[in-house]
Each structure stands twice: as C-alpha cells, then as structure tokens.
Amino acid sequence: MKTMKIAVCGILLVALAGVAAAATPEKGTNLLAFQFSEGSVDLVDVEGGTGYLTSANFVTHPELGGLVQWSYFLTDEYAVSVSGGIGYFSESDKPGTNALPGDPDRKYTQTSWQARLGGDRYAHINDRFSVFAGPGIQVWSGKWKYEAGTTTQESQNALRIALQGRFGVHVRWNESVGMFAHLGHYLGRVSAEENGAKTSWWASGRDGAGGVAVSF
C-alpha cells in the first residue's frame, strides 16, 4: 500500500510539473492540430435522363473523417486558421430470407473533401485552458456512389461554399502538446451540374472536430 501511495504521488507530481510547464500562446506561436471530424453533407441526385438535377433528399447520413488545421497567432489573442480534410461514410446491405433469389449485396458510400480559411479570437482563462470563437469561409465538395452487383450509380460532385462560425477549446497538457476541439455551424450555397442540367440551393448544417494540437 505504501508503494502504491508513493507511485500515485509521483504521478501527481509529474502531472503538476506538466501543468506548470504549460504556457499561454503568444504572438508568433504556431498551432498544428490533427483531428477526427464529423459533419453534415449536401449531396446531389443523378440526372438519370430526366432532364433535371436535384438535391439528394434521401441522404441523411453525416460523415466522419480527418482534419488537419494550422493556426498562427497574429497577436496574443487573435489567430488566423487554415484547415483541410476528408470525409467518408459507408453502408453495406446483405439480402435476407425474404429477398429474391440472386439478389446482390448492396453498398452505399459517400466521400468528400473540405478546406477552410478563418480567424479566431482567443480568451485565455489560465495557462492551461483557452476558449476561442471566430468566422471562416468553408469550401466543401462531396458525392455518393451506389453499387448492387454489376450495377453502379454515382452522383456528380456537389460544391458548397459557406460562411462557417465556430466555438472551441484548447487545453494544454504541457508547453507543447494539448487537446484542440471545436463545434461549428455553416450557412452557404450548394451547386452541381450534369448533362447541362443545373441545381443550386441554400444549405445549413453542423460540424465539429477534436484531436491533438502541437504548439511551436
């Protein structure tokens, strides 16, 4: 028991040492974050010889993905931010006992990419914890693909240009490494084109990301 107490005390001392070593970002600081992301999608249906192209209202799946983000502190409290990432969703459906003989497996996938340029205002609560908020311009593009046996159907890329605002936190574990996460909401315009048919609409949705950030 005594050995366990000594070990616990040692762990606490190491943790406190890490806390003491944490430092608030200053002007000229770079912050590089690697994050898991989640967000809404705005996809388009196939024209399919109908003469019209419409939004894919049947799609309700959010996407998961990865995001890399770089922030540079212009002052102690204001930073410019650039990020880019990819998104993905996949669903596989196998026929059951009520299916017709020879019915194939089905697979549906969504893929996307995104980029964002924005700025954030930081409020440093203490040397370990900061909150931030700010606007940005987000460019997002995505499409879907449906496969059933030898049949494949794939949509055109839908392009979304949006104004996105976000609120987040930066928790520093030590001087260089910490947690970086945010929640956001976007409002923008989506467009797509296929065989001369065009469609566009106003869209809004939510997104977020969380991961590890390195300061240097």
Side-chain angles (χ1 to χ4, degrees):
M1 181 64 69
K2 183 177 180 180
T3 302
M4 182 179 294
K5 289 181 179 179
I6 293 174
V8 171
C9 290
I11 293 172
L12 290 174
L13 288 173
V14 171
L16 289 174
V19 169
T24 300
E26 301 174 344
K27 177 181 178 180
T29 298
N30 291 276
L31 189 65
L32 184 61
F34 302 90
Q35 301 172 286
F36 292 105
S37 62
E38 185 267 345
S40 304
V41 298
D42 295 292
L43 303 178
V44 68
D45 204 348
V46 293
E47 187 269 332
T50 64
Y52 290 92
L53 192 61
T54 63
S55 62
N57 296 318
F58 59 88
V59 178
T60 58
H61 309 295
E63 61 182 7
L64 301 177
L67 195 69
V68 177
Q69 184 168 182
W70 171 72
S71 297
Y72 178 77
F73 282 79
L74 301 174
T75 70
D76 293 352
E77 298 178 340
Y78 290 91
V80 62
S81 176
V82 179
S83 64
I86 57 174
Y88 183 77
F89 172 85
S90 177
E91 177 184 337
S92 297
D93 304 314
K94 295 183 178 296
T97 55
N98 291 326
L100 296 176
D103 277 355
D105 293 353
R106 300 176 179 179
K107 185 177 182 180
Y108 172 83
T109 55
Q110 293 172 188
T111 55
S112 72
W113 63 265
Q114 64 166 295
R116 181 184 186 274
L117 172 63
D120 296 303
R121 168 68 160 87
Y122 278 75
H124 304 297
I125 308 304
N126 55 43
D127 60 353
R128 295 179 57 200
F129 183 76
S130 298
V131 296
F132 62 89
I137 299 296
Q138 181 193 65
V139 178
W140 178 96
S141 180
K143 64 179 181 179
W144 59 265
K145 184 178 182 180
Y146 175 77
E147 300 170 273
T150 58
T151 301
T152 299
Q153 200 172 32
E154 187 171 2
S155 75
Q156 296 295 314
N157 282 290
L159 177 66
R160 182 178 76 217
I161 300 177
L163 177 64
Q164 188 242 26
R166 67 180 188 173
F167 175 84
V169 297
H170 180 205
V171 180
R172 290 172 291 282
W173 300 326
N174 57 42
E175 187 175 357
S176 301
V177 182
M179 183 192 75
F180 193 80
H182 75 266
L183 294 174
H185 192 279
Y186 68 82
L187 173 64
R189 189 75 171 171
V190 187
S191 61
E193 181 176 351
E194 183 180 3
N195 297 328
K198 300 179 181 180
T199 185
S200 61
W201 67 94
W202 289 100
S204 67
R206 295 175 296 275
D207 53 31
V212 177
V214 180
S215 302
F216 57 95

